[in-house]
Amino acid sequence: MSAPIVKISGLNKWYGEFHVLRDIDLAVAKGERIVICGPSGSGKSTLIRCINALEEFQEGEIVVDGIELGPNLKHVDAVRREVGMVFQSFNLFPHLTVLDNCTLAPIWVRNIPKKDAEATAMKFLERVKIPHQANKFPGQMSGGQQQRVAIARALTMNPKVMLFDEPTSALDPEMVKEVLDTMVDLAEEGMTMLVVTHEMGFAREVANRVVFMDAGQIIEANTPREFFAAPRHARTKLFLSQILR
Amino acid sequence: MTDITSSSFVRQDLLAERPAPVKTTGFIGLVRTRLFNSPTNILLTIVGALLLWFTIVPSVRFLMVDAVWSGQDRTACLAENAGFAVGACWPYIQAKLPQLIYGFYPEAERWRVDLTMVLAVVLLLPLLVPRLPAKGLNAGLFFVAFPVVAFFLLHGGGIKGFGLSWTAGLLQLFDESIIGAGQALLSLSKTSAIAPLLWVVGSLIVLIGTAISWLIFPLTWLRDYVQVMGQPVWADFGVTAAIVSLIAFFLAGGIRTGGRALASSIATFIAIAIVIKLMGLDRGGLPVVTTNLWGGLLVTLVVSVTGIVTSLPIGIALALGRRSTIPLIRIFSIAFIEFWRGVPLITVLFFATYMLPLFLPGNFTVDGLVRALIGIALFTGAYQAENVRGGLAAIPRGQSEAAAALGLSWWKTTSLIVLPQALRHVIPNLVNSFISLLKDTSLVSIVALFDLLGSLRASFSDPKWSTPSTAFTGFAFAGIIYFIFCFGMSRYSLFVERRLNAHRRS
Ligand SMILES: Nc1ncnc2c1ncn2[C@@H]1O[C@H](COP(=O)(O)OP(=O)(O)OP(=O)(O)O)[C@@H](O)[C@H]1O
Ligand SMILES: [Mg+2]
């Protein structure tokens, strides 16, 4: 196995006195798709937000593509340039058109000329299948479309790793599929992905590994086949029995 | 009713003609459905009509019907000469109009005021129409070039040097004050109980000051060298232009990409040179008109436009400071905002005008108008800070998180994502403060500045025009002027709001 592109070791985080993340160790290989699941409040969001330094942590180390992110968050900017993130609530910029949403960061962070940035943005909007809506404002689109724009926006920065925090849980059922399809396409192109989701179908189909978290720690990690067919930890069994029914 | 569910249909009886339904459109319809459709509405309609009757009718009578429209002095506006109970005395306004607009600004120089106002309108109008191009250049001209030109137009006077002399002068002043502070400590150390400590600190400060003076020596030397040349302003101008253009050139990336920056820098300096030449700033400029001669609408506009333009950046800076994670900045911002919001504007103006000179060192004077301007800008800035803070609080955290995840720095996140949205939320509040600022400018008349209202009241004492209706006419006129400006701002802000919030109409 090649050197991991994301390596989390001994990660500990507290919110005040509350120990949210406990001794997390996780290595993600290049091109690997990892699905993180677990009950509400288990620290899934907190974990992936630590990876691109949206949250600070007190102990441990995260290395992204050779860039070290310690508790003092020194190389924040370098890490964020390698990591794209998609949020549950889309977080598109409502005052900018879809196209401007996608060109803002390339223009202002990577100093790419506007014309080139727009060409790239259109390419990614085509990939998520909404090129004809480029001049709409986010508020004029459906949730599924907005989430696909958010994916395109993250991709315009050419990230090496994509983080998804429950990308489909704010969507109506018929829109979930269009977003998941986009993510499957992305996976097939070889993108490294860490996905927090409750879509077990997606986990079965796409993931290389499923990581189950509870109470701030990783309880079990396994291939999806093993994970669903033969969960080993009692907590995992309980969780699966509840959500699969 | 006929039942048309079966596929074939033949009419049996023809329908009789019916009267049209009660009208719901047009004037009659409006009266029926909106004004007299219920007992409460009938009552409200009657009360409203009475209110209109008792306000509009007397106003129209006073301003138009019973008004006197022409005359040479007070006699035209007296009831016994006019033959009826006189309303507004318009010839009085006509006679006093120059004073109401220019104050005591010398008659021969008033074209300068007119020119400034024309310039302001010519630069401002295209800025206000969103469809017109070149907003960046236009804004630069209005917010940077225009104030400077307006100063030399309205105030007059010339320049003795340019960028080089000013920079050198400022640095020297800064350095001298450092050395001065050091020497003050040294002289204190002769008598104090903590003498050795004071002596050490004082010597250190003097040493730093001397070091700085050596550091800036090339600059001061160049300045002195330029000053003794035949054309000090132009020599200085040339040196400044060369230095600034070169810096711009290299900062923009040197030979490969710096061409544009170099060209725009040179173009800017050529424009500045033309302005200097046109206004003769190198040869003493226009005759000086000190600000105590300014008055009327001129002062009102100068104070309110400067207040509006400077208070918003101050407010934004304070609002951001108040949310800062750096304790010193946060505490300073909170203290500043609370202080200025806690004192009445009149106190601020009094303090700025009568107390501040006592605190400033002897030969250091600040113009009276400028003092009032600063007071008003800071005062309004504190209010604007709270307005802006309201807007900032309305932006969800996810917005800045998304921007951060894309790699945008704090400055870029704030200026591209957070502020544009926050300001759009609070346009009505911001304009509200602008309007109240415009009306509060009338308070400067208590610190011996004659704004529109002050000039008006001064004109009441002219015996040539003293009639029973003079004061009413004057206040009505001033009211109309204030109303035009405030109403204009209010309508324009509505337009901007609708335009900028297009994205919210889904
Ligand atoms: N800013 C905060 N301050 C204090 N506690 C927090 C904060 N953010 C989250 N927590 C707590 O940390 C724990 C983990 O939160 P996190 O959002 O990571 O959970 P999650 O696994 O993503 O849950 P969900 O499935 O509901 O999104 C929760 O118990 C939550 O209450
Ligand atoms: Mg979560």
Side-chain angles (χ1 to χ4, degrees):
Chain A
M1 202 167 107
S2 59
I5 193 160
V6 177
K7 187 168 185 342
I8 303 171
S9 34
L11 180 69
N12 276 287
K13 175 176 171 61
W14 288 262
Y15 278 123
E17 286 300 305
F18 176 54
H19 198 169
V20 253
L21 294 180
R22 307 179 194 177
D23 270 330
I24 304 279
D25 289 299
L26 184 68
V28 185
K30 197 165 167 42
E32 204 179 5
R33 277 97 57 187
I34 292 194
V35 163
I36 303 171
C37 60
S40 181
S42 54
K44 311 179 295 288
S45 301
T46 312
L47 173 62
I48 71 165
R49 287 161 59 87
C50 282
I51 297 176
N52 71 350
L54 285 181
E55 299 283 353
E56 49 188 21
F57 49 89
Q58 284 78 21
E59 278 174 21
E61 190 187 66
I62 298 176
V63 180
V64 180
D65 197 30
I67 309 160
E68 205 177 290
L69 193 68
N72 55 6
L73 299 182
K74 220 166 71 194
H75 302 292
V76 178
D77 296 332
V79 167
R80 281 180 182 161
R81 249 174 272 147
E82 309 295 336
V83 179
M85 176 136 185
V86 174
F87 300 85
Q88 178 176 2
S89 49
F90 328 138
N91 291 345
L92 292 179
F93 307 130
H95 62 302
L96 300 176
T97 61
V98 165
L99 188 62
D100 290 340
N101 262 281
C102 295
T103 56
L104 184 94
I107 290 176
W108 290 94
V109 179
R110 292 214 194 277
N111 293 321
I112 292 172
K114 190 166 182 214
K115 260 223 180 95
D116 303 353
E118 281 179 353
T120 318
M122 285 311 290
K123 198 182 83 194
F124 284 110
L125 285 175
E126 251 155 55
R127 249 171 65 180
V128 299
K129 303 192 178 66
I130 24 184
H132 43 281
Q133 319 238 32
N135 291 317
K136 278 193 180 177
F137 285 102
Q140 299 164 327
M141 308 178 87
S142 75
Q145 291 169 330
Q146 290 191 49
Q147 193 60 295
R148 284 185 284 152
V149 172
I151 294 174
R153 179 176 72 175
L155 290 176
T156 56
M157 291 295 281
N158 287 321
K160 298 208 172 97
V161 181
M162 285 284 283
L163 309 176
F164 294 83
D165 188 4
E166 306 201 24
T168 56
S169 22
L171 297 177
D172 291 343
E174 69 262 38
M175 295 176 194
V176 170
K177 186 174 174 324
E178 58 185 58
V179 171
L180 287 182
D181 285 348
T182 310
M183 291 168 62
V184 171
D185 288 347
L186 200 58
E188 278 165 5
E189 285 162 31
M191 175 65 76
T192 312
M193 297 162 68
L194 275 93
V195 186
V196 174
T197 185
H198 295 126
E199 296 293 334
M200 289 306 140
F202 178 83
R204 270 210 186 91
E205 249 176 70
V206 180
N208 303 108
R209 225 177 343 150
V210 179
V211 173
F212 174 69
M213 283 183 72
D214 191 17
Q217 41 212 305
I218 295 181
I219 303 286
E220 191 166 342
N222 214 333
T223 58
R225 179 119 61 99
E226 292 285 309
F227 180 83
F228 289 112
R232 274 175 278 178
H233 198 282
R235 193 67 196 77
T236 320
K237 284 177 192 157
L238 179 66
F239 177 73
L240 284 178
S241 73
Q242 275 167 351
I243 63 162
L244 293 177
R245 224 165 295 212
Chain B
M1 281 292 282
T2 4
D3 188 23
I4 323 189
T5 43
S6 52
S7 52
S8 67
F9 164 75
V10 180
R11 182 170 292 287
Q12 301 295 319
D13 343 285
L14 293 182
L15 299 175
E17 191 175 311
R18 278 195 296 134
V22 176
K23 232 175 138 181
T24 55
T25 55
F27 178 71
I28 309 270
L30 180 83
V31 170
R32 261 175 200 276
T33 55
R34 295 283 162 78
L35 298 179
F36 292 109
N37 57 342
S38 75
T40 341
N41 265 7
I42 292 175
L43 192 71
L44 285 176
T45 305
I46 292 173
V47 171
L50 281 178
L51 266 176
L52 282 182
W53 179 260
F54 282 117
T55 53
I56 300 285
V57 171
S59 314
V60 171
R61 277 187 70 111
F62 178 82
L63 293 174
M64 326 254 281
V65 180
D66 287 347
V68 171
W69 294 91
S70 60
Q72 291 309 310
D73 55 14
R74 65 189 288 269
T75 50
C77 296
L78 291 178
E80 55 261 38
N81 297 337
F84 54 86
V86 171
C89 179
W90 293 121
Y92 151 71
I93 295 292
Q94 212 177 350
K96 293 291 177 190
L97 198 58
Q99 190 188 336
L100 293 183
I101 294 179
Y102 307 101
F104 303 111
Y105 210 91
E107 221 157 307
E109 306 290 337
R110 284 182 185 167
W111 62 270
R112 285 155 58 174
V113 179
D114 299 338
L115 183 59
T116 313
M117 289 188 186
V118 168
L119 266 181
V121 171
V122 166
L123 288 176
L124 185 60
L125 280 187
L127 199 59
L128 296 184
V129 181
R131 251 179 303 123
L132 296 180
K135 281 283 173 286
L137 177 70
N138 195 341
L141 284 176
F142 183 75
F143 290 109
V144 182
F146 174 69
V148 179
V149 171
F151 171 80
F152 284 111
L153 261 179
L154 292 175
H155 182 269
I159 49 178
K160 293 209 179 59
F162 201 71
L164 176 65
S165 315
W166 296 336
T167 319
L170 261 181
L171 287 176
Q172 218 165 17
L173 192 75
F174 172 68
D175 190 36
E176 273 162 15
S177 61
I178 288 182
I179 295 182
Q183 273 158 354
L185 279 185
L186 278 184
S187 68
L188 259 183
S189 76
K190 292 190 184 102
T191 55
S192 163
I194 47 168
L197 183 67
L198 284 183
W199 187 85
V200 168
V201 175
S203 316
L204 207 68
I205 291 178
V206 171
L207 203 70
I208 292 174
T210 322
I212 292 179
S213 82
W214 280 105
L215 214 65
I216 63 174
F217 179 74
L219 212 59
T220 46
W221 176 83
L222 194 61
R223 191 258 321 258
D224 295 339
Y225 180 75
V226 160
Q227 282 293 335
V228 295
M229 287 165 86
Q231 291 269 359
V233 172
W234 291 111
D236 192 336
F237 181 84
V239 174
T240 311
I243 294 177
V244 171
S245 298
L246 277 182
I247 292 177
F249 179 63
F250 284 113
L251 277 189
I255 299 178
R256 224 160 25 84
T257 51
R260 263 184 78 104
L262 185 68
S264 53
S265 166
I266 291 177
T268 312
F269 275 104
I270 290 177
I272 296 176
I274 292 175
V275 170
I276 292 181
K277 198 74 203 159
L278 266 182
M279 297 177 62
L281 295 182
D282 53 331
R283 286 172 280 109
L286 297 161
V288 171
V289 180
T290 53
T291 55
N292 54 0
L293 294 178
W294 301 16
L297 192 59
L298 171 63
V299 162
T300 299
L301 288 182
V302 165
V303 173
S304 47
V305 170
T306 339
I308 287 172
V309 171
T310 50
S311 66
L312 192 56
I314 294 176
I316 291 174
L318 286 173
L320 292 175
R322 193 166 186 163
R323 287 161 58 99
S324 166
T325 46
I326 305 166
L328 210 62
I329 295 182
R330 192 175 56 242
I331 291 170
F332 171 81
S333 303
I334 293 176
F336 190 95
I337 293 171
E338 295 307 336
F339 172 78
W340 289 97
R341 289 205 309 164
V343 290
L345 184 55
I346 299 194
T347 323
V348 173
L349 290 173
F350 259 114
F351 182 83
T353 309
Y354 299 117
M355 307 275 285
L356 206 57
L358 304 180
F359 289 97
L360 289 174
N363 55 358
F364 200 77
T365 58
V366 180
D367 184 272
L369 183 62
V370 175
R371 284 191 296 237
L373 275 180
I374 294 174
I376 287 183
L378 296 181
F379 184 83
T380 314
Y383 276 87
Q384 295 295 36
E386 288 301 281
N387 287 338
V388 175
R389 189 166 71 100
L392 290 175
I395 308 301
R397 229 169 59 126
Q399 289 289 308
S400 37
E401 278 178 358
L406 285 168
L408 274 84
S409 64
W410 183 88
W411 284 105
K412 284 174 184 162
T413 304
T414 303
S415 57
L416 297 170
I417 306 298
V418 178
L419 267 183
Q421 294 185 55
L423 292 181
R424 276 164 218 224
H425 282 301
V426 294
I427 291 173
N429 313 21
L430 295 177
V431 174
N432 205 15
S433 292
F434 289 154
I435 286 177
S436 83
L437 163 73
L438 182 86
K439 292 188 290 181
D440 285 349
T441 55
S442 54
L443 287 176
V444 299
S445 61
I446 61 154
V447 291
L449 289 171
F450 286 90
D451 73 317
L452 177 60
L453 216 57
S455 302
L456 180 77
R457 291 170 53 149
S459 76
F460 289 162
S461 54
D462 184 354
K464 190 176 165 206
W465 285 102
S466 113
T467 71
S469 66
T470 301
F472 298 117
T473 312
F475 283 126
F477 176 73
I480 291 170
I481 299 277
Y482 279 112
F483 181 80
I484 289 173
F485 281 107
C486 294
F487 190 65
M489 271 201 272
S490 153
R491 297 311 300 185
Y492 182 70
S493 86
L494 268 183
F495 163 74
V496 171
E497 209 179 315
R498 263 193 230 118
R499 192 186 148 78
L500 287 184
N501 287 337
H503 64 274
R504 284 205 229 153
R505 273 183 274 125
S506 42

